[in-house]
Each structure stands twice: as C-alpha cells, then as structure tokens.
Amino acid sequence: MNVDLGDLNAFVAVAGAKGFRDGARLSGTSASALSEAVRRLETELGVRLLHRTTRSVRPTEAGERLLGRLRPALAEVGAALDVVNGFRDRPTGTLKLNVPISAARLVLPSIVPGFLAAYPDISLEVIAEDGFVDVLAAGCDAGIRYDERLEQDMVAVPIGPRLQRFAVAAAPAYLDRHGRPQHPRELLGHACLRGRFASGSMPPWEFERGGESLRIDVTGQLIVRIGAAADLTVDAAIAGAGVVYLFEDWLRPHFESGALEPILEPWWLRFPGPFLYYPGRRLLPAPLRAFVDFVRGT
C-alpha cells in the first residue's frame, strides 16, 4: 500500500471542516485539489471514507475510525519534523490562530507587530470568527477565547488586558432627544442596537453594581451578527439610531472624539480578559512555542 502523507492531510482537513470548500479555505489549497487527494486515498485504500451530498460531507464509519487514529498520528509527525527547528538560529514556519473578532481588533494589534519583528522567519495567519471552533479540526495551532469558552485538555495562557468591561453608549444628539437613562431598566424604553450569535441566540445586556446583577432583554429595530457586524451597530449609534452595548475598548475612540457619550458607567459589567489556548498533550511547534514565549514576556 502506497499512501501519500499529503492525501492523508487532505482527508483530515475535509473531514474536520465538513466540506471541501471550507477545508480548502482552512488548509490554504483549492477544493479541487482536496477532492482529488481524497479520491486518490479512497482508491488506494479500496474503501469510501466520506459521504458526499450536495449539502454536506461527513465521514463514513471507516472514515471516522481512520480519522480517530490519524489526528494524533499526524500531530506527532508534525511535532517530530518540527524538532529540526530547534537547531536553527531562528524558528521558522507558519503559525495559524483562530480568534474571536473582538480579539483580532482589541488584543492582537498590540502583540502582532512586535512578534513579527522578533521572528521574521515565522508567517502568522489569523482566522477571525466568533463560532465555537475545534482548533485542531480547523487546522489551527492555537486559539484565543474567553475562559467560559475554553475547551477541555487545553493549556491556557493569559493574553491581552486581564480585565475588560462592556460599555453602553449613544450619540449625544440621541440622548438629548430621548433622555439619559439612570438605571439599566430604563433601557427598555430606548431603541437598542442588538446582536445575535451565529447559533441564533440573542444575549441579554448584563449589568452589575454593588453586588447587584441585572440581565435586560432590550428591544430595538436593528439586529446584527455579534462580532462580524459590530461596527454597523457603532456606526448606527453614532448616527443617532439608538444605544450600543459593546467592549469598552472598542468604543473608547468614539468616547474620546465625542461621537458617542458613555451612559450607565457605574453599572458596566466587568469580566476577565481572554486566553491563548492550545492542546497540552503534544510537543509545541516552534512557531507556537515562540508565540507563547513572546506573549508571556509582554
């Protein structure tokens, strides 16, 4: 049996992404190349590994069993090859991170330029999305998430500010017309610019003060996808369409310019900052090891 390692990697990429197009996006190749690689692998093994329909791709029973053995085996192969990096003056390779859009905007800009300057032979690819992602299945080396989203069996390293707040704001002209709320419950009488997760859930706005916690199910005309379309709510708030609820650091430039006015600040919810996380059961690739060391040193 003459099985190509690249074909095995192609199968893992497609199965993990549940599709050839998404697999191609995550692996940096074309969907047609992945399809041909999987076809070659199935021909060589003499068994179908994937069920293909016009709407989905999923592993067969044989494919599931192969996938379960391949993932740790390929990870070990990658780690073994990466040992060579230890003999270089400077680590080289590609580091792929999966991060929330908020982290791409608020955390990484203060870290990435310095890291790239310190490690000129490392290429960094950042995939920003707000869904819950298995970083290994997605072909990534590590991810950034907030603590409640951390996966089991992961090593977590603090990254970015250790305390953040959700801020509430509106344009001064809007508040002049509709009044400045003094208590979170007064938001029920305001036009609020809401967000919805990809899962379909629409989280309430949360507040706390002096040990009292509140969750307010606000209403309003505009609903956007959390993360991906957050800037639309900011622009709408600046234009006077309503009240926005977002990371304080995201809104701060507009506070400083006067385009938005903070409201209910004593009630702003505090929460812990994010973590860089990665699997703890295998050797770290040199680019990831360099990034972890850099983050810990900043």
Side-chain angles (χ1 to χ4, degrees), residues 1-15 20 32-50 52 59-60 62-67 70-71 74:
M1 187 177 295
N2 185 22
V3 174
D4 185 83
L5 183 61
D7 293 348
L8 293 173
N9 277 305
F11 165 65
V12 171
V14 173
F20 288 93
S32 60
L34 288 183
S35 178
E36 178 62 22
V38 172
R39 186 195 64 76
R40 282 196 306 268
L41 181 60
E42 289 178 327
T43 299
E44 182 65 31
L45 296 177
V47 64
R48 179 175 291 276
L49 299 174
L50 296 172
R52 304 163 175 82
T60 62
E64 286 283 6
R65 294 198 179 188
L66 179 61
L67 195 61
L70 270 182
R71 279 177 172 160
L74 290 175

Side-chain angles (χ1 to χ4, degrees), residues 138-214:
C140 296
D141 300 293
I144 295 177
R145 290 292 181 268
Y146 289 86
D147 56 355
E148 72 272 16
R149 298 188 180 188
L150 291 182
E151 301 172 17
Q152 294 182 346
D153 302 321
M154 291 286 177
V155 176
V157 177
I159 185 171
R162 300 323 305 145
L163 185 67
Q164 294 181 279
R165 296 194 298 177
F166 280 117
V168 192
Y174 171 90
L175 296 172
D176 290 342
R177 293 194 308 271
H178 299 282
R180 289 166 171 78
Q182 302 302 308
H183 191 279
R185 290 193 183 92
E186 294 178 31
L187 291 172
L188 294 173
H190 284 263
C192 294
L193 308 170
R194 298 176 291 168
R196 189 192 301 276
F197 285 115
S199 65
S201 65
M202 191 180 303
W205 290 9
E206 298 185 67
F207 301 90
E208 63 178 11
R209 182 182 183 182
E212 180 182 3
S213 298
L214 295 174

Side-chain angles (χ1 to χ4, degrees), residues 223-240:
I223 301 171
V224 305
R225 176 67 60 85
I226 287 176
D231 278 329
L232 176 56
T233 63
V234 176
D235 291 342
I238 291 172

Side-chain angles (χ1 to χ4, degrees), residues 7-155:
D7 293 348
L8 293 173
N9 277 305
F11 165 65
V12 171
V14 173
K18 297 182 173 61
F20 288 93
R21 183 174 299 176
D22 287 341
R25 177 176 60 84
L26 293 171
S27 61
T29 186
S30 67
S32 60
L34 288 183
S35 178
E36 178 62 22
V38 172
R39 186 195 64 76
R40 282 196 306 268
L41 181 60
E42 289 178 327
T43 299
E44 182 65 31
L45 296 177
V47 64
R48 179 175 291 276
L49 299 174
L50 296 172
H51 290 299
R52 304 163 175 82
T53 70
T54 55
R55 294 188 176 183
S56 67
V57 174
R58 59 185 177 84
T60 62
E61 182 180 357
E64 286 283 6
R65 294 198 179 188
L66 179 61
L67 195 61
R69 300 294 294 270
L70 270 182
R71 279 177 172 160
L74 290 175
E76 287 301 318
V77 169
L81 293 174
D82 194 63
V83 168
V84 176
N85 250 331
F87 294 91
R88 298 179 183 273
D89 293 332
R90 297 183 302 193
T92 185
T94 298
L95 172 63
K96 186 179 291 188
L97 301 179
N98 183 281
V99 309
I101 293 170
S102 58
R105 180 170 187 137
L106 305 177
V107 175
L108 291 182
S110 65
I111 296 172
V112 166
F115 174 73
L116 295 179
Y119 297 97
D121 295 326
I122 292 178
S123 297
L124 176 63
E125 180 176 351
V126 178
I127 299 171
E129 55 191 353
D130 279 299
F132 297 100
V133 175
D134 180 335
V135 291
L136 291 182
C140 296
D141 300 293
I144 295 177
R145 290 292 181 268
Y146 289 86
D147 56 355
E148 72 272 16
R149 298 188 180 188
L150 291 182
E151 301 172 17
Q152 294 182 346
D153 302 321
M154 291 286 177
V155 176

